[in-house]
Amino acid sequence: MVTRSKAGIHKPKVFIATKEPRSVKDALCTPHWKDAMALEFEALHRNNTWSLVDLPHDRTPIGCKWVLKVKEKPNGTIEKYKARLVANDFHQQYGFDYNETFSPVVKPVTIRVVLTIA
């Protein structure tokens, strides 16, 4: 059976230009991304998000990465540059690498219940 790919027929690849940098190195060259990353890092320190401990000999450190997004207003103008430092949690084990998780999420059902009570 001859498929399109075997016959050399391919769809053209479309590259969409994004406003987010491709790497942290690119982000650090731009002042607004550097400021957004500094604000996120300060917030992590201010909220005591983590505590420094000695690494056990049989463990490897958990990596992290920066997630960079441009937040836009409805008309398409840039509202702010958002930077998040996230852990590569797929290597973590509950009870050893972390003890609790916290994610402030409000569900629409909760809002309806509160409005109904009010």
Side-chain angles (χ1 to χ4, degrees):
M1 181 174 162
V2 178
T3 61
R4 287 185 286 185
S5 61
K6 288 181 182 177
I9 302 169
H10 300 285
K11 286 184 178 179
K13 293 184 179 180
V14 178
F15 295 101
I16 300 171
T18 61
K19 297 176 184 175
E20 289 91 11
R22 293 185 181 263
S23 68
V24 174
K25 189 176 181 179
D26 293 341
L28 289 173
C29 294
T30 312
H32 50 262
W33 283 116
K34 195 172 183 179
D35 293 342
M37 293 166 80
L39 283 173
E40 172 68 7
F41 199 69
E42 289 171 16
L44 292 173
H45 277 288
R46 189 174 50 250
N47 295 332
N48 294 322
T49 305
W50 69 75
S51 57
L52 229 52
V53 295
D54 292 327
L55 186 67
H57 297 289
D58 60 339
R59 301 295 294 184
T60 57
I62 296 169
C64 61
K65 68 176 186 173
W66 284 100
V67 177
L68 306 167
K69 294 287 180 188
V70 173
K71 299 294 182 177
E72 296 179 347
K73 295 180 182 177
N75 63 3
T77 60
I78 295 174
E79 183 176 351
K80 68 176 178 175
Y81 296 92
K82 186 80 171 174
R84 289 279 180 212
L85 184 63
V86 296
N88 294 337
D89 61 349
F90 47 85
H91 294 294
Q92 292 180 325
Q93 295 176 353
Y94 180 76
F96 193 83
D97 294 318
Y98 66 96
N99 294 325
E100 61 184 62
T101 59
F102 175 73
S103 180
V105 177
V106 178
K107 296 181 180 179
V109 175
T110 307
I111 294 172
R112 282 190 222 122
V113 169
V114 170
L115 291 175
T116 303
I117 294 170

